[in-house]
Amino acid sequence: MRSLDEWLEGRARAIARNTSRRTFLARLGGVLAGGAALPLLPVSRSSAGTGSAGPDSARVPAPDETITGPEGDPKSCEYWRHCAIDGSACACCGGSSTTCPPGTEVSPVTWIGTCRNPADGKEYLISYNDCCGKTFCGRCLCNRNEGERPEYHWYRNNDINWCAGATSQVYNCSIAVVIGQATERQPEK
Amino acid sequence: MRSLDEWLEGRARAIARNTSRRTFLARLGGVLAGGAALPLLPVSRSSAGTGSAGPDSARVPAPDETITGPEGDPKSCEYWRHCAIDGSACACCGGSSTTCPPGTEVSPVTWIGTCRNPADGKEYLISYNDCCGKTFCGRCLCNRNEGERPEYHWYRNNDINWCAGATSQVYNCSIAVVIGQATERQPEK
Amino acid sequence: MRTSPSSPPPVVPLFALLVAAFCLAAPLAAEAPREKASVATLPPMGAHSVWVPDRLTLHNVLFDGDSGEVLGMVDSPSLITPKTPLLVRSRNEIYSVDIAHSRGTRGERVDFVSVYDATTLSFKHEIVFPTQSGSSNTSQQYAELIGERFIGVFNQFPNTSVAIIDLVEQRFVEEIVITGCAGVYPIDAHRFASLCGDGTSIAIELDESGSYKQLSRSAPFFDVIEDPVAMSAGRSELRWTFVSFAGQVHTIDYSEATPTVAASWSLTDEADQSDRWRPGGLQYVAVHRKSGRLFVVMHQGGPGSHKDAGPEVWVWDMATQQRVSRFESPNLTAAFLGSFMGVTEDSFLHGVLNWVLPSGGIHTIAVSQDESPVLFVRNGMLGAVGVLDATNGNSLRSLTEAGLSGPTLRVP
Amino acid sequence: MRTSPSSPPPVVPLFALLVAAFCLAAPLAAEAPREKASVATLPPMGAHSVWVPDRLTLHNVLFDGDSGEVLGMVDSPSLITPKTPLLVRSRNEIYSVDIAHSRGTRGERVDFVSVYDATTLSFKHEIVFPTQSGSSNTSQQYAELIGERFIGVFNQFPNTSVAIIDLVEQRFVEEIVITGCAGVYPIDAHRFASLCGDGTSIAIELDESGSYKQLSRSAPFFDVIEDPVAMSAGRSELRWTFVSFAGQVHTIDYSEATPTVAASWSLTDEADQSDRWRPGGLQYVAVHRKSGRLFVVMHQGGPGSHKDAGPEVWVWDMATQQRVSRFESPNLTAAFLGSFMGVTEDSFLHGVLNWVLPSGGIHTIAVSQDESPVLFVRNGMLGAVGVLDATNGNSLRSLTEAGLSGPTLRVP
């Protein structure tokens, strides 16, 4: 029976922690990483399209994905790319870490986080695109708030429903796309 | 810790029992009790209005409501009038056993059950009116299926959303109005 | 719209910060094409897929019963219970019979069929229809395909009727009144049956365009007062098998012009009856066509217990009318709570959960129609679906985080 | 519509049965006027009422904090978090800022204010507006009354802006762009403030008709990178008190033309800081105006923990900047699960639940503004709200079956 106590306590901790997992994602337009012009408005209409900017043929440093355990599992909140995710992981919703579930739309604007890959020890820039147009997936709710900021600092806020920038503003889940390698961590703590 | 086991078991039993508490109410038009013409269709448009038919001035046998415990509590599923309720008890939703919550509408058609009052030992006809026009209350979910029948025997079916007969077809909760005294129990078991 | 005359906030300095922070490193050894966000498509629909509706989120989730993974979702706006999607393989389309209001739960009501591409799950178009589809808790046989061309939608108000939708012409055809009857039980490309309050079943034939052509009625085969049959039923080709509250099995054959009634038989023997075993639940009857196996959720109860969850699924050979198996319910409470606790199914902890937590039992079942069938089982109040080997009842896995509440399941 | 030519099912015999069964007895001794179904109205809004939003049902439930009873509900269709209703006593009206789609979660989006009678809770009319209101998890200061005549709605796309709705003229006035700023913090009948990414607060003044008149900006008072202030804040007359992630208190006075910044002070002393106490949650700041008490949810954490639930609410006298109390969180997990188990709050079993089940902590608080204030506390993932005596932290009761999920509370 002792274990049951522990589960209950674990569950309560999960309740406490997971509440903000229900918060909803907000990220800086992927356009920034491509070096395009700074969007003065929260949504740069010119950034419409899929999140990762730049020509398809571009080759970039590739992370080592041979990781065992939760840090290597895109369905886990502990997946290494999920260091700044906020919402349902699309890998649990019919998508993957880089594909939205069937019938949804990739949000044109994203927030970018910097996550450390435990296999190669390098920091990567991650674009967290929302997948939009079907109602809330609800599975694999994940959240971390390191560096998260209130709505007046919009490109660091993860409460906002960033599907508001998409054709349909209904939030389904979030993906985590590697768009490059970073040399240092973000300034916000 | 033994008690915790019991609660969990009780909870599981509640889960098993309560599922059909989410089923939704269906009752015979209150018009029947008033001796009006038999509605050949599920909804008698002529029965529109509040559920209990007959002139307001009519005096009817009154049940003894001086009952202690859950059988006397309109917020309890065990309330004596709730012997055939199916849905949220309106007394938990801003109404009472005979009043719909503020801003809702009384469904014009109802199903009638026969409940025994434990204080006076008599059987009373109960009209279960749905309250409609606001979304699901969700509190105090109650259900009993004695005498309940599938949809082809519509006036004994409690799965149907009887708000479908109201102006707004959105179900909020259910009330239990005494409309008379019965001499025997319903034939359906 | 008016722009405030204040100077814009200092976004440019922030940009400088960002550039410093997000500075891209020079390419290193390991390189690959830049990742690109994209949208997945569905794999070909496997035999062990299942639609799981959720009343609170108002969508249907498509699970792969073999991997336990979610393949996709279809939104299913509704008043109470979302209707499960309908698949037509020849057109590669999925249909959802939906209800919406112009202002959420207020405003004008609209009833419509949403049409989705079955590979991309993208919305294609909608077919609005003028009747109001039935809305209930259990929703058994409320919206069904009639052949591949038509959908029949069961309406309850202002009369019981069936609305015929032509999926090819993308139009509402007409409303066929079936006073005193309920449900859409598909027979063939132009016929469907209903159950009636006088203890009969009617078969309604449509003409080529989907309009009413003719009706035939079976002899009475059940007594609505004494022992009614449930709406939940099992289909095998041109026959439907109905099960009464007390466990009597009635099979109706619709292959002739007039539905014919086979001799009924009982699910339970005297020993079962003295132990008060009887069928019950929400969608508690299923048939595997090729093997002729009948699956029914069973519990110990009495009059009025017909919606109680059951701890077992019993299996019969319909040809011999003999019971061949009793399957125990997996512990869906443990599966549901375990997934929230992050306990994996093969772990020791999960085993302990299974042992400690009492099972909530089964309300609803659905069986796949392939040669190695699986039986999906759910409790209407738990967001977990059990997958059993339908040949021996072995618990294979659980489909977890499957919403919060729903009375039905559908194998596409 | 077409009627089937079959003979109607035998309803009349069933009617005969019904008459036999439901036969009314001759009047007996005890008689009373026939009961009549009717619709309740709200009592006058008490000081201890509270709106509890639920994300899954998409409505707000009005509880009486003294009796623990539900008084009524207002539907609140939304994309994520329902906004809490706004009460104007002088017109006896309640306003809900809503979002709906023409086909549930698909189709055309419409943004509107639903207007309800505050006594009957009946829908009166709606005011559709052309901007798209912000939709987020926490939704702090997303839709607020500006005086009694206007509502300011915070929009995020395609730019941050505030839509002004005239409740008297029942019309959208205009959209005021506030690039780089966020939130609607009401000041007086024609002014509201926002927080800005450059560490300032702006005050925007409207003219008589609700159109933009002028803007003033405070000096910078916080650093968005090093220690930002939360959107959750407490109002006392013409001042707003903001609390930073690390626990620094910034009070801005909007009584002059230009907002003035008071010297900041810290919630925590060195001992607290070495124990890592800091504010956090979702709506975690509240002010009781008359007493000048500041309530903040506190937890032990560090950078990135600012949305964690806290086990305590600390109370300060804002005049002296001294902490006067520490309130412990009631066990909301026990309240939530206990209500599902049917355990009454004064029972022994409830006591045991309180002892066995770990508390999930508090994300959100709201305080009533009367002389004997109560503090409402909730965990965003639990459908139970605690009611504390705001003068001493004693747990008075729980509001149970209060939905499933929601980050906010509002005292009307």
Side-chain angles (χ1 to χ4, degrees):
Chain A
M1 284 312 292
R2 196 170 138 49
S3 293
L4 182 57
D5 263 348
E6 289 173 359
W7 300 327
L8 285 166
E9 185 166 345
R11 174 64 188 137
R13 284 211 198 95
I15 286 169
R17 275 260 157 207
N18 281 346
T19 298
S20 45
R21 298 194 181 190
R22 309 196 64 118
T23 63
F24 286 77
L25 352 191
R27 294 105 217 206
L28 179 55
V31 68
L32 270 182
L38 170 75
L40 275 169
L41 304 182
V43 176
S44 168
R45 289 304 186 188
S46 64
S47 69
T50 54
S52 48
D56 288 358
S57 60
R59 295 186 69 83
V60 294
D64 184 347
E65 289 282 0
T66 57
I67 306 162
T68 55
E71 283 186 301
D73 178 6
K75 294 184 181 69
S76 162
C77 294
E78 286 71 45
Y79 183 46
W80 74 272
R81 298 187 184 205
H82 288 171
C83 76
I85 198 174
D86 196 349
S88 278
C90 289
C92 301
C93 306
S96 71
S97 62
T98 60
T99 54
C100 284
T104 64
E105 174 195 2
V106 184
S107 68
V109 283
T110 69
W111 185 41
I112 291 171
T114 308
C115 301
R116 185 179 169 280
N117 179 305
D120 63 23
K122 300 193 175 70
E123 304 269 346
Y124 291 88
L125 296 182
I126 309 290
S127 164
Y128 297 97
N129 295 72
D130 286 351
C131 302
C132 314
K134 289 185 188 288
T135 190
F136 189 40
C137 163
R139 306 185 86 227
C140 299
L141 291 166
C142 302
N143 171 251
R144 298 183 200 163
N145 289 305
E146 291 86 352
E148 199 267 351
R149 288 294 180 269
E151 284 90 330
Y152 52 75
H153 197 48
W154 53 266
Y155 41 86
R156 298 292 296 166
N157 177 257
N158 69 12
D159 285 329
I160 297 174
N161 170 21
W162 282 76
C163 282
T167 308
S168 167
Q169 288 125 33
V170 177
Y171 172 78
N172 185 247
C173 63
S174 301
I175 57 177
V177 180
V178 167
I179 55 171
Q181 196 175 315
T183 53
E184 56 181 84
R185 290 204 63 82
Q186 58 212 12
E188 292 93 343
K189 286 184 285 277
Chain B
M1 286 311 293
R2 197 171 135 47
S3 294
L4 183 56
D5 264 350
E6 290 173 358
W7 299 328
L8 286 168
E9 186 168 344
R11 175 62 188 136
R13 285 209 198 97
I15 286 170
R17 277 260 155 207
N18 280 346
T19 297
S20 44
R21 296 191 182 195
R22 308 195 65 115
T23 62
F24 287 77
L25 350 187
R27 295 102 218 207
L28 180 56
V31 67
L32 270 182
L38 170 73
L40 275 170
L41 304 182
V43 175
S44 170
R45 290 305 186 188
S46 65
S47 71
T50 54
S52 48
D56 289 357
S57 60
R59 294 184 69 82
V60 293
D64 184 345
E65 289 282 0
T66 58
I67 307 163
T68 55
E71 283 185 301
D73 178 7
K75 294 185 182 68
S76 162
C77 295
E78 287 71 46
Y79 182 46
W80 74 272
R81 297 185 183 205
H82 287 171
C83 74
I85 197 174
D86 196 349
S88 277
C90 290
C92 301
C93 306
S96 71
S97 62
T98 61
T99 54
C100 284
T104 64
E105 173 196 2
V106 184
S107 67
V109 282
T110 70
W111 184 42
I112 291 172
T114 308
C115 301
R116 183 178 171 282
N117 179 305
D120 62 23
K122 300 193 176 69
E123 306 268 346
Y124 289 88
L125 296 183
I126 309 291
S127 164
Y128 297 97
N129 294 72
D130 286 352
C131 301
C132 313
K134 288 186 187 290
T135 191
F136 190 39
C137 164
R139 306 185 85 228
C140 299
L141 291 165
C142 301
N143 170 250
R144 297 181 199 165
N145 289 303
E146 292 87 352
E148 199 267 352
R149 289 295 180 268
E151 284 91 330
Y152 52 77
H153 197 51
W154 52 267
Y155 42 86
R156 298 292 295 166
N157 178 257
N158 69 12
D159 286 328
I160 297 173
N161 170 20
W162 282 76
C163 282
T167 307
S168 166
Q169 286 124 33
V170 176
Y171 171 79
N172 184 247
C173 62
S174 302
I175 58 176
V177 181
V178 168
I179 55 170
Q181 197 174 314
T183 52
E184 55 181 85
R185 290 202 65 81
Q186 57 212 13
E188 291 93 344
K189 285 185 283 280
Chain C
M1 179 154 133
R2 191 148 171 186
T3 301
S4 78
S6 66
S7 58
V11 179
V12 176
L14 288 172
F15 180 51
L17 274 175
L18 284 162
V19 169
F22 295 157
C23 181
L24 293 175
L28 300 182
E31 289 202 337
R34 182 190 293 280
E35 289 186 6
K36 197 168 157 55
S38 60
V39 180
T41 55
L42 282 189
M45 194 75 78
H48 294 172
S49 304
V50 64
W51 289 108
V52 183
D54 181 34
R55 268 198 210 120
L56 284 166
T57 318
L58 292 177
H59 65 181
N60 273 271
V61 180
L62 181 66
F63 278 91
D64 177 342
D66 292 329
S67 68
E69 301 296 343
V70 165
L71 300 173
M73 304 182 182
V74 163
D75 287 0
S76 315
S78 177
L79 287 178
I80 298 179
T81 295
K83 297 178 178 76
T84 43
L86 305 167
L87 169 68
V88 173
R89 292 172 201 271
S90 63
R91 283 192 301 279
N92 198 43
E93 285 183 338
I94 289 169
Y95 307 94
S96 179
V97 178
D98 298 335
I99 305 170
H101 286 81
S102 60
R103 294 294 184 266
T105 48
R106 189 173 55 70
E108 197 182 347
R109 169 176 170 160
V110 58
D111 287 71
F112 54 102
V113 177
S114 298
V115 182
Y116 296 90
D117 182 285
T119 300
T120 65
L121 284 189
S122 296
F123 172 73
K124 291 177 73 174
H125 59 87
E126 68 183 14
I127 308 168
V128 173
F129 57 91
T131 63
Q132 298 196 333
S133 74
S135 152
S136 90
N137 170 38
T138 49
S139 294
Q140 299 297 306
Q141 312 298 134
Y142 270 48
E144 297 291 331
L145 287 163
I146 303 168
E148 296 197 330
R149 177 164 172 184
F150 303 108
I151 286 178
V153 180
F154 177 52
N155 311 305
Q156 283 156 332
F157 288 84
N159 199 336
T160 55
S161 68
V162 174
I164 305 295
I165 314 292
D166 185 333
L167 301 169
V168 173
E169 300 284 334
Q170 301 176 19
R171 72 182 184 106
F172 166 73
V173 181
E174 67 178 18
E175 180 184 12
I176 300 171
V177 172
I178 55 165
T179 304
C181 305
V184 179
Y185 296 87
I187 302 170
D188 56 27
H190 291 89
R191 287 194 300 158
F192 69 91
S194 288
L195 281 172
C196 301
D198 58 356
T200 69
S201 171
I202 54 172
I204 289 179
E205 184 175 348
L206 310 176
D207 66 17
E208 286 303 310
S209 67
S211 292
Y212 174 86
K213 187 174 172 187
Q214 62 186 14
L215 174 149
S216 61
R217 186 183 292 268
S218 77
F221 61 94
F222 68 93
D223 185 319
V224 72
I225 303 296
E226 291 304 320
D227 188 25
V229 297
M231 292 288 286
S232 176
R235 180 188 187 181
S236 34
E237 310 307 339
L238 300 180
R239 294 185 302 280
W240 278 93
T241 296
F242 302 98
V243 174
S244 78
F245 285 14
Q248 206 66 20
V249 179
H250 304 269
T251 294
I252 313 300
D253 186 330
Y254 298 93
S255 56
E256 305 297 322
T258 300
T260 55
V261 179
S264 75
W265 52 279
S266 177
L267 294 176
T268 49
D269 59 23
E270 276 181 27
D272 299 331
Q273 285 161 21
S274 73
D275 286 342
R276 306 181 73 230
W277 282 102
R278 47 167 56 208
L282 297 168
Q283 176 180 313
Y284 55 88
V285 178
V287 163
H288 183 256
R289 289 195 289 273
K290 283 182 190 148
S291 64
R293 290 285 193 273
L294 171 68
F295 301 82
V296 182
V297 183
M298 302 289 288
H299 70 279
Q300 289 166 283
S305 72
H306 55 279
K307 287 182 191 164
D308 287 7
E312 296 186 18
V313 177
W314 291 8
V315 190
W316 291 265
D317 181 327
M318 289 199 292
T320 64
Q321 303 175 358
Q322 295 299 308
R323 189 179 69 207
V324 293
S325 300
R326 290 171 68 157
F327 298 168
E328 264 190 54
S329 171
N331 192 328
L332 299 171
T333 312
F336 179 62
L337 293 178
S339 71
F340 275 102
M341 296 180 199
V343 178
T344 53
E345 241 183 320
D346 50 2
S347 69
F348 171 74
L349 266 179
H350 200 275
V352 181
L353 275 182
N354 260 329
W355 179 75
V356 169
L357 294 172
S359 171
I362 298 169
H363 287 106
T364 294
I365 57 175
V367 66
S368 71
Q369 295 297 332
D370 57 323
E371 301 282 350
S372 306
V374 294
L375 184 73
F376 298 102
V377 303
R378 88 178 290 181
N379 179 295
M381 288 290 276
L382 293 171
V385 174
V387 185
L388 310 185
D389 183 329
T391 64
N392 57 25
N394 288 346
S395 180
L396 301 175
R397 65 193 59 81
S398 300
L399 314 178
T400 57
E401 291 195 86
L404 286 169
S405 165
T408 58
L409 291 170
R410 183 187 294 272
V411 174
Chain D
M1 178 153 135
R2 190 148 170 185
T3 301
S4 78
S6 66
S7 58
V11 181
V12 175
L14 289 172
F15 181 52
L17 275 175
L18 285 161
V19 168
F22 294 158
C23 180
L24 292 175
L28 299 181
E31 289 202 341
R34 182 189 295 277
E35 290 185 7
K36 198 169 157 53
S38 60
V39 180
T41 56
L42 283 188
M45 195 74 78
H48 293 172
S49 305
V50 64
W51 289 108
V52 183
D54 181 32
R55 270 199 207 117
L56 285 166
T57 318
L58 293 176
H59 64 184
N60 274 271
V61 179
L62 181 67
F63 278 91
D64 177 342
D66 292 329
S67 68
E69 301 295 341
V70 165
L71 300 173
M73 303 182 183
V74 164
D75 286 359
S76 315
S78 177
L79 287 179
I80 297 179
T81 295
K83 298 178 177 73
T84 43
L86 305 167
L87 169 69
V88 173
R89 292 172 201 271
S90 63
R91 283 192 302 279
N92 198 43
E93 284 182 338
I94 288 169
Y95 307 93
S96 179
V97 178
D98 298 335
I99 305 170
H101 286 82
S102 60
R103 296 292 185 264
T105 48
R106 190 173 53 71
E108 197 182 348
R109 170 175 168 159
V110 58
D111 287 71
F112 53 102
V113 177
S114 298
V115 182
Y116 296 90
D117 182 284
T119 300
T120 65
L121 285 189
S122 297
F123 171 74
K124 291 176 74 173
H125 59 87
E126 67 182 13
I127 308 169
V128 173
F129 57 91
T131 63
Q132 299 196 332
S133 74
S135 151
S136 90
N137 171 39
T138 49
S139 294
Q140 298 297 306
Q141 311 299 137
Y142 271 47
E144 297 291 331
L145 287 163
I146 303 168
E148 297 197 331
R149 178 166 170 180
F150 303 108
I151 286 179
V153 180
F154 177 51
N155 311 306
Q156 283 156 331
F157 289 84
N159 200 335
T160 56
S161 68
V162 174
I164 305 295
I165 314 292
D166 184 334
L167 300 169
V168 173
E169 300 284 332
Q170 300 177 19
R171 71 180 184 108
F172 165 74
V173 179
E174 67 179 16
E175 179 183 14
I176 300 170
V177 172
I178 56 166
T179 303
C181 306
V184 179
Y185 296 87
I187 302 170
D188 56 27
H190 291 89
R191 287 194 299 159
F192 69 92
S194 288
L195 281 172
C196 300
D198 59 354
T200 68
S201 172
I202 54 172
I204 289 180
E205 184 174 349
L206 310 177
D207 66 16
E208 286 302 310
S209 68
S211 293
Y212 174 87
K213 187 173 174 188
Q214 62 187 15
L215 173 149
S216 61
R217 186 184 292 268
S218 77
F221 61 93
F222 69 95
D223 184 319
V224 72
I225 303 296
E226 292 303 320
D227 188 26
V229 297
M231 293 287 286
S232 177
R235 180 186 187 182
S236 33
E237 310 308 338
L238 300 180
R239 294 186 302 281
W240 278 93
T241 296
F242 301 98
V243 174
S244 78
F245 286 14
Q248 207 65 19
V249 179
H250 304 270
T251 295
I252 312 301
D253 187 328
Y254 299 94
S255 57
E256 305 297 322
T258 299
T260 55
V261 179
S264 76
W265 51 281
S266 176
L267 294 176
T268 50
D269 60 23
E270 278 181 27
D272 299 331
Q273 285 160 22
S274 74
D275 287 342
R276 307 181 71 233
W277 282 102
R278 47 168 56 207
L282 297 168
Q283 176 180 313
Y284 55 89
V285 177
V287 162
H288 184 255
R289 289 195 289 274
K290 284 183 190 145
S291 64
R293 290 285 193 272
L294 170 68
F295 300 83
V296 182
V297 183
M298 300 292 285
H299 71 280
Q300 289 166 283
S305 71
H306 55 278
K307 288 182 192 165
D308 287 7
E312 296 187 17
V313 177
W314 292 8
V315 190
W316 292 265
D317 181 326
M318 290 198 291
T320 65
Q321 303 175 359
Q322 294 301 306
R323 189 179 70 205
V324 292
S325 299
R326 291 172 66 159
F327 298 167
E328 266 191 54
S329 171
N331 192 328
L332 298 172
T333 311
F336 179 62
L337 292 178
S339 71
F340 276 102
M341 297 182 199
V343 177
T344 54
E345 239 180 324
D346 50 2
S347 69
F348 172 74
L349 265 180
H350 200 275
V352 181
L353 275 182
N354 261 329
W355 179 76
V356 169
L357 294 173
S359 172
I362 298 170
H363 288 106
T364 295
I365 56 176
V367 67
S368 71
Q369 295 298 333
D370 57 323
E371 301 282 349
S372 306
V374 294
L375 184 73
F376 298 102
V377 303
R378 86 179 290 182
N379 178 295
M381 289 290 278
L382 292 172
V385 174
V387 186
L388 310 185
D389 182 329
T391 64
N392 57 25
N394 289 344
S395 180
L396 300 175
R397 65 192 61 80
S398 300
L399 314 178
T400 57
E401 292 195 84
L404 286 170
S405 166
T408 58
L409 291 170
R410 184 187 293 272
V411 174

